[in-house]
Short mmCIF file of all heavy atoms in Angstrom, two decimals:
data_model
loop_
_atom_site.label_atom_id
_atom_site.label_comp_id
_atom_site.label_asym_id
_atom_site.label_seq_id
_atom_site.Cartn_x
_atom_site.Cartn_y
_atom_site.Cartn_z
N ASN A 212 -14.41 26.92 -1.85
CA ASN A 212 -13.50 27.77 -1.07
C ASN A 212 -13.85 29.16 -1.35
O ASN A 212 -14.05 29.60 -2.54
CB ASN A 212 -12.05 27.47 -1.56
CG ASN A 212 -11.49 26.25 -0.96
OD1 ASN A 212 -11.33 26.04 0.18
ND2 ASN A 212 -11.24 25.19 -1.86
N LEU A 233 -24.43 33.35 5.90
CA LEU A 233 -24.03 32.37 5.01
C LEU A 233 -23.99 30.99 5.67
O LEU A 233 -24.41 29.93 5.11
CB LEU A 233 -22.69 32.67 4.29
CG LEU A 233 -22.21 31.62 3.27
CD1 LEU A 233 -23.24 31.47 2.22
CD2 LEU A 233 -20.88 32.16 2.71
N ASP A 347 -10.99 52.13 -19.33
CA ASP A 347 -11.39 53.58 -19.20
C ASP A 347 -10.22 54.29 -18.56
O ASP A 347 -9.08 53.82 -18.51
CB ASP A 347 -12.67 53.64 -18.38
CG ASP A 347 -13.57 54.77 -18.75
OD1 ASP A 347 -13.03 55.81 -19.16
OD2 ASP A 347 -14.77 54.65 -18.68
N ALA A 392 -30.28 41.50 -19.18
CA ALA A 392 -31.58 42.00 -19.54
C ALA A 392 -32.52 40.84 -19.91
O ALA A 392 -33.76 41.01 -19.77
CB ALA A 392 -31.40 42.99 -20.69
N SER A 431 -31.49 51.13 -26.22
CA SER A 431 -31.55 52.55 -26.41
C SER A 431 -30.21 53.20 -25.94
O SER A 431 -29.36 52.53 -25.30
CB SER A 431 -32.75 53.10 -25.48
OG SER A 431 -32.51 52.82 -24.11
N ASP A 436 -24.88 62.75 -18.90
CA ASP A 436 -25.39 63.93 -18.19
C ASP A 436 -26.95 63.84 -18.03
O ASP A 436 -27.56 64.10 -17.07
CB ASP A 436 -24.95 65.21 -18.71
CG ASP A 436 -25.04 65.30 -20.23
OD1 ASP A 436 -25.38 64.29 -20.83
OD2 ASP A 436 -24.71 66.40 -20.75
N ILE A 509 -26.46 44.98 5.82
CA ILE A 509 -27.35 44.34 4.81
C ILE A 509 -26.70 44.22 3.39
O ILE A 509 -26.95 43.25 2.64
CB ILE A 509 -28.71 45.06 4.79
CG1 ILE A 509 -29.43 44.75 6.05
CG2 ILE A 509 -29.55 44.63 3.59
CD1 ILE A 509 -30.81 45.41 6.27
N ALA A 516 -25.75 36.85 -0.92
CA ALA A 516 -26.85 36.27 -1.66
C ALA A 516 -26.54 36.23 -3.20
O ALA A 516 -26.78 35.21 -3.87
CB ALA A 516 -28.15 37.05 -1.43
N ARG A 547 -29.28 52.44 12.18
CA ARG A 547 -29.63 53.87 12.24
C ARG A 547 -29.69 54.61 10.96
O ARG A 547 -30.41 55.55 10.72
CB ARG A 547 -28.55 54.56 13.19
CG ARG A 547 -28.64 54.20 14.62
CD ARG A 547 -27.81 55.03 15.49
NE ARG A 547 -27.86 54.67 16.89
CZ ARG A 547 -28.84 55.02 17.71
NH1 ARG A 547 -29.77 55.82 17.28
NH2 ARG A 547 -28.87 54.60 18.98
#
Side-chain angles (χ1 to χ4, degrees):
N212 289 294
L233 181 56
D347 215 327
S431 62
D436 42 358
I509 290 178
R547 291 190 180 278

